[in-house]
Amino acid sequence: MLIPFENMPDNARVWIYQSDKKLTDADKSHIEGLGRSFCEGWAAHGAPLKCSFRIFHDQFLIITVDESHNMASGCSIDASVHFVKQLESDLQINFFDRTKVAFVLNEEVFLEPLSQLKSKVDEGTIQEDTLTFNNLVSVKGELASAWMVPAKSTWLGRYFN
């Protein structure tokens, strides 16, 4: 059952999918259409899930479930992964590439391969206060406080010593 994203509680579980490229208006429209259909039918053992999704920064798809209503099960989580894989196939993008870290620089999101991070820090492209995305946040309330954080407060902090 689709709920407006802003109406989801702060303790709603989230999954963050980072695209390997900036999403176009056509991509976002496609995701919106399929996302609405997916959420309307998403269930765990036949019980509807109170869920939502939103695209952020033209780069991230965030899916959320209010588990105080019904808990997401292994099969329902598999269904959400299948939904995201379908989007990948439809749009020729990758939401599962974990070899790149997203940063905000000059109010734009950019992706940097893990192998290049140390050199980007050394040359000053990535600085201690450069915002980076922590895609491991687990609940909606953390999106405001722990999703975009200064590089120095992540595992990248070791490069600034």
Side-chain angles (χ1 to χ4, degrees):
M1 121 188 33
L2 179 62
I3 305 297
F5 193 89
E6 59 275 3
N7 293 348
M8 294 296 286
D10 282 347
N11 66 343
R13 189 170 176 187
V14 297
W15 291 269
I16 300 172
Y17 296 95
Q18 176 179 295
S19 174
D20 65 342
K21 67 176 188 171
K22 185 174 179 172
L23 299 170
T24 67
D25 288 343
D27 295 338
K28 292 184 287 186
S29 179
H30 186 78
I31 292 168
E32 292 284 339
L34 286 183
R36 280 191 293 280
S37 295
F38 171 74
C39 283
E40 288 299 338
W42 198 16
H45 303 291
L49 293 173
K50 247 176 141 171
C51 60
S52 194
F53 69 96
R54 182 170 283 167
I55 298 165
F56 286 89
H57 306 286
D58 298 330
Q59 196 84 42
F60 302 92
L61 170 62
I62 299 181
I63 299 173
T64 183
V65 172
D66 179 357
E67 291 192 309
S68 66
H69 178 71
N70 283 317
M71 298 285 288
S73 66
C75 291
S76 62
I77 294 168
D78 287 349
S80 70
V81 170
H82 179 74
F83 160 66
V84 175
K85 290 285 192 185
Q86 180 65 50
L87 292 174
E88 286 187 321
S89 177
D90 292 351
L91 302 173
Q92 299 303 301
I93 58 176
N94 187 338
F95 281 113
F96 292 94
D97 181 358
R98 303 293 185 243
T99 65
K100 294 183 178 131
V101 177
F103 296 92
V104 177
L105 191 59
N106 299 323
E107 299 187 31
E108 291 287 326
V109 174
F110 71 96
L111 303 177
E112 199 60 60
L114 290 169
S115 62
Q116 297 297 312
L117 292 174
K118 174 94 171 81
S119 64
K120 293 296 180 181
V121 168
D122 290 345
E123 68 189 33
T125 302
I126 298 172
Q127 299 177 3
E128 289 184 352
D129 61 347
T130 300
L131 292 178
T132 186
F133 290 87
N134 170 15
N135 292 333
L136 299 178
V137 298
S138 60
V139 294
K140 183 179 172 250
E142 291 178 332
L143 290 174
S145 62
W147 184 35
M148 292 175 60
V149 294
K152 69 180 174 191
S153 63
T154 71
W155 62 271
L156 295 168
R158 65 182 172 210
Y159 294 141
F160 299 106
N161 295 330

